[in-house]
Amino acid sequence: MKKILLFVLVALIASAGISQSSHRDAFKQVAQKERSTGLEQLRCNDALPLKGGNMLSSETFELGMTYYDWQTNSGARNHIVSWEDGFISAVFTQALDATYATRGTGLATYNGSEWTPSEGRIESQRTGFGAIARYGASGLVIASHGSAGLIIATTDSRDGGTWTEHTVPSGGVPMWASVMTSGENRDIIHILATTNEEYLGQNTPLLYFRTSDGGNTWDYSDFIIEDFVGPAVTPGIGSNSYCFMETTEDNRLAFVIADDWIDGQVVYSDDNGDTWNSITYFDHPDPFATYDAIFLYPRWVSPIWDKDGYLHIAYEFNGTTGEPGSGSYYPGVGGVAYWNEDMAVLDTGYLYQDIYASLWYYSDATHEMYPEYIGYVTPLDESGNPEDPYTATEFNIDDFTLHGSYNCGIAGMPSMFYDKNTDRLHVVWIAMCENNQDEVGNFYFRIFSRTSLDRGETWQPMYNLTQGFLFSLSECVYPALYMQNHGNQLRLIYQEDGQTGTFVMNNDSDGTDNLYKAMFVDIDGIIGIKEYQDATSNIELSVYPNPASDYVSIELTEAANVTIYNSIGQVVKSVEHQGGVLEINTNNFNTGVYFVNANNGVVSTTQKLIVK
């Protein structure tokens, strides 16, 4: 597989406008932090895509159409909220005409049995990029920006009803709002926003606002949380480089920051916003330095607290160069990775050496994929199911820049949810689909998922949630995930249309098929618990001695095809193993790292072998 994808590497590097050697030279001086995961090799049984039939059981629902199909710039948003009885309220930026004069926040609701689609904006004036949170016992608050600044709209009814609007007081023109509520009655409204210009002596500062009476008066307005994200740390905050996290049971208020010119942080308050603390998950090398070569950063971050107050993050990594604050990204770079508080703080060197430069299909990678690298562009079979990259024989993407423009790379836009009842983490993201292209040659984005049954220690197989005939000519982007804790469904909203790119950015010529939709997917189908356990219970692979010198014993509990690959993906040995113990002479093997793969047609499992 690595050999097949070697030419993809060349195209990817060319698209970034920089050679692989210059990538490496740029990071020679970056200190590497110790990896603290304790996972030296990938647990392949848990992580490789599982072969087999389609086990998905899903439904889709139309929530409304929109000509304005640019839902966000580069960061995760607050687009969906849910109640314990299964009621859902979901928002998206909606415009019912091609001039965008009707642009505003569309609201669609689900009452437990059926959806009520949105028929237009809820605001009385033209707005954009609305974010939603619960308000009071069963109400909603939506924050969005208009021509004169931020607007909040509140209602006591979670399905809409009568809205009350207030303009958020500010001396500037704040935009790109994110909203959350806290307090015993969830009636304290918190808003984050930034500006498109210098304000209060800072370049595009991050502003905080708070009201405790629905917007009539404001406790905080134009407040810069500079102790944690101020001028000593960053030359500016980009649009959508931040979003609130869902309030947890202990009423902790928190938001995440992810930008190419700032330390990545989760900033939190346990007293409704009066004082703040922070957790750093990414160390920027120097936000005030100029970079001629690409450096990597977490671009799109989705964080969550688990029931023990433990922080988990799914993030898309991408690259930037240039003057501080200039901002750029590389459409041919990207992937989804996972971080938690047991891991070392991320830095550019870590992302470069351990994630980017050692992508599985890089020809010089000498190890299996790291466990935290959970989402990537993968080969697919004819049905759209992810294939085992070790054994796949065909890959149709030869240029990773051939996708629509959404300010993201080849795999990204992760959204994560933690189910406190089952102690599971669920992540969805988008990635290029090798099976389908549009008329201009761009590959469609599709939505993929993975689940961890043990809070991030290991991950179940990757699944394509958007496979099959109905999605064969569809682009699926902007997934926002939420799930009822009492249910057995993964629930997300997303945008779907028939062309790659966006109508707003003029690379989608038809705005009439931009649909916002919901998807309900059976969880057992996603992670294939029964099928996966049944399949893996009958095949166990043991490789010993390891390291090996003269011979290696390969022990299997049942018959399977065994293939040994070297570190660049070349097959050095292939045999039909009937089960039991098989000895293979390794005297003719070069010293180095090899991978032993056993595949019985249902499940594939791999172990690393070192030959001395």
Side-chain angles (χ1 to χ4, degrees):
M1 186 61 203
K2 294 178 183 177
K3 185 176 181 180
I4 296 171
L5 291 174
L6 182 58
F7 67 98
V8 180
L9 164 63
V10 177
L12 187 153
I13 293 175
S15 72
I18 185 170
S19 70
Q20 186 175 1
S21 60
S22 59
H23 279 269
R24 290 171 176 162
D25 293 341
F27 293 102
K28 284 182 178 178
Q29 304 303 317
V30 180
Q32 299 297 302
K33 286 184 169 55
E34 288 294 325
R35 294 169 48 80
S36 59
T37 62
L39 299 173
E40 291 301 321
Q41 73 175 52
L42 179 64
R43 298 184 177 120
C44 293
N45 262 9
D46 297 328
L48 285 179
L50 174 64
K51 289 195 170 186
N54 179 5
M55 295 181 290
L56 295 177
S57 175
S58 62
E59 297 178 274
T60 60
F61 311 87
E62 186 174 324
L63 308 187
M65 70 82 61
T66 177
Y67 281 89
Y68 201 91
D69 62 343
W70 185 27
Q71 295 299 324
T72 186
N73 184 17
S74 63
R77 308 294 293 165
N78 306 106
H79 279 164
I80 183 169
V81 296
S82 176
W83 281 262
E84 289 298 321
D85 63 357
F87 197 97
I88 296 174
S89 302
V91 297
F92 60 104
T93 301
Q94 185 173 28
L96 299 179
D97 66 282
T99 69
Y100 313 139
T102 59
R103 191 185 76 176
T105 305
L107 171 69
T109 58
Y110 178 73
N111 64 8
S113 59
E114 61 181 359
W115 280 94
T116 300
S118 171
E119 298 180 351
R121 71 185 183 207
I122 61 99
E123 299 94 348
S124 63
Q125 58 184 287
R126 186 180 188 271
T127 66
F129 303 94
I132 190 173
R134 288 176 287 172
Y135 179 60
S138 59
L140 300 170
V141 57
I142 292 174
S144 55
H145 71 250
S147 58
L150 296 182
I151 295 171
I152 64 165
T154 58
T155 179
D156 293 331
S157 175
R158 59 189 181 178
D159 60 359
T162 302
W163 294 88
T164 301
E165 291 185 15
H166 290 280
T167 300
V168 179
S170 174
V173 185
M175 305 176 71
W176 312 104
S178 183
V179 65
M180 188 51 60
T181 57
S182 69
E184 183 178 354
N185 299 315
R186 298 195 70 100
D187 55 1
I188 304 174
I189 299 172
H190 310 265
I191 296 174
L192 293 172
T194 189
T195 64
N196 283 341
E197 57 188 14
E198 184 175 325
Y199 182 54
L200 299 177
Q202 290 194 32
N203 180 36
T204 63
L206 183 62
L207 303 175
Y208 170 66
F209 306 83
R210 188 182 81 183
T211 177
S212 301
D213 58 9
N216 292 299
T217 61
W218 293 82
D219 308 318
Y220 291 99
S221 182
D222 285 348
F223 179 76
I224 301 175
I225 312 177
E226 59 184 6
D227 288 343
F228 305 104
V229 293
V233 179
T234 175
I237 295 288
S239 59
N240 284 320
S241 297
Y242 49 86
C243 70
F244 275 110
M245 300 167 59
E246 182 68 17
T247 306
T248 55
E249 286 84 347
D250 62 1
N251 216 22
R252 170 171 286 180
L253 181 71
F255 61 90
V256 65
I257 299 173
D259 194 78
D260 48 354
W261 297 98
I262 190 171
D263 288 348
Q265 299 176 69
V266 170
V267 184
Y268 63 94
S269 172
D270 290 323
D271 54 13
N272 294 309
D274 286 331
T275 60
W276 298 85
N277 296 288
S278 67
I279 298 172
T280 298
Y281 64 87
F282 171 68
D283 279 335
H284 195 288
D286 185 350
F288 294 95
T290 299
Y291 294 87
D292 295 326
I294 187 175
F295 71 84
L296 302 180
Y297 66 98
R299 179 173 177 82
W300 186 305
V301 176
S302 180
I304 200 76
W305 305 101
D306 66 25
K307 62 185 179 183
D308 297 322
Y310 197 63
L311 180 62
H312 306 262
I313 289 176
Y315 62 92
E316 172 192 351
F317 66 83
N318 206 275
T320 190
T321 58
E323 298 290 333
S326 61
S328 62
Y329 81 100
Y330 290 84
V333 176
V336 176
Y338 166 78
W339 180 90
N340 64 43
E341 292 182 79
D342 274 349
M343 297 179 175
V345 174
L346 300 172
D347 65 12
T348 301
Y350 164 78
L351 289 174
Y352 175 75
Q353 295 289 348
D354 292 348
I355 301 294
Y356 179 59
S358 294
L359 287 178
W360 216 350
Y361 39 77
Y362 267 56
S363 62
D364 60 350
T366 58
H367 56 75
E368 298 182 73
M369 182 59 65
Y370 283 111
E372 55 266 48
Y373 189 69
I374 62 174
Y376 48 90
V377 177
T378 182
L380 304 173
D381 64 20
E382 293 181 356
S383 299
N385 295 305
E387 293 187 286
D388 184 343
Y390 281 112
T391 59
T393 58
E394 184 178 11
F395 189 78
N396 298 321
I397 301 176
D398 59 359
D399 183 349
F400 274 156
T401 66
L402 292 178
H403 59 73
S405 177
Y406 297 94
N407 284 351
C408 74
I410 60 177
M413 296 188 185
S415 181
M416 181 165 58
F417 182 81
Y418 168 72
D419 184 349
K420 63 182 180 181
N421 289 340
T422 61
D423 214 22
R424 297 172 183 167
L425 289 170
H426 303 276
V427 181
V428 297
W429 67 90
I430 66 169
M432 295 174 72
C433 171
E434 66 162 340
N435 287 355
N436 300 108
Q437 293 173 272
D438 65 7
E439 65 275 8
V440 299
N442 287 333
F443 291 89
Y444 287 107
F445 279 121
R446 297 289 164 71
I447 301 174
F448 294 81
S449 75
R450 288 187 84 166
T451 294
S452 174
L453 307 180
D454 49 19
R455 284 197 273 186
E457 279 291 300
T458 59
W459 291 86
Q460 295 294 298
M462 184 190 306
Y463 272 87
N464 180 1
L465 301 182
T466 46
Q467 58 185 308
F469 175 76
L470 293 178
F471 295 101
S472 60
L473 295 176
S474 296
E475 179 97 307
C476 301
V477 291
Y478 303 123
L481 181 63
Y482 207 97
M483 186 182 109
Q484 275 60 50
N485 285 323
H486 68 275
N488 196 40
Q489 288 183 324
L490 200 66
R491 299 184 172 186
L492 65 146
I493 59 174
Y494 65 100
Q495 182 177 291
E496 178 182 338
D497 65 75
Q499 293 181 294
T500 61
T502 73
F503 188 67
V504 176
M505 296 180 184
N506 297 319
N507 31 54
D508 179 343
S509 61
D510 183 6
T512 62
D513 63 349
N514 297 321
L515 302 177
Y516 224 67
K517 303 182 76 172
M519 180 184 296
F520 291 177
V521 189
D522 177 69
I523 292 175
D524 288 342
I526 295 174
I527 60 179
I529 292 178
K530 294 179 181 178
E531 293 86 347
Y532 182 78
Q533 288 177 343
D534 290 343
T536 58
S537 64
N538 294 323
I539 179 170
E540 294 180 5
L541 170 66
S542 298
V543 177
Y544 56 89
N546 195 359
S549 54
D550 299 324
Y551 73 96
V552 62
S553 294
I554 299 175
E555 183 175 357
L556 288 178
T557 55
E558 68 172 44
N561 293 322
V562 172
T563 306
I564 302 177
Y565 301 84
N566 62 17
S567 62
I568 63 172
Q570 297 172 328
V571 176
V572 297
K573 186 75 172 180
S574 181
V575 296
E576 291 185 6
H577 196 322
Q578 300 305 314
V581 179
L582 174 68
E583 288 190 358
I584 293 179
N585 189 322
T586 58
N587 284 320
N588 295 326
F589 287 23
N590 294 326
T591 299
V593 176
Y594 294 80
F595 301 106
V596 180
N597 173 260
N599 190 322
N600 66 359
V602 178
V603 65
S604 173
T605 181
T606 305
Q607 289 192 18
K608 179 166 62 177
L609 167 67
I610 298 175
V611 175
K612 291 183 175 181

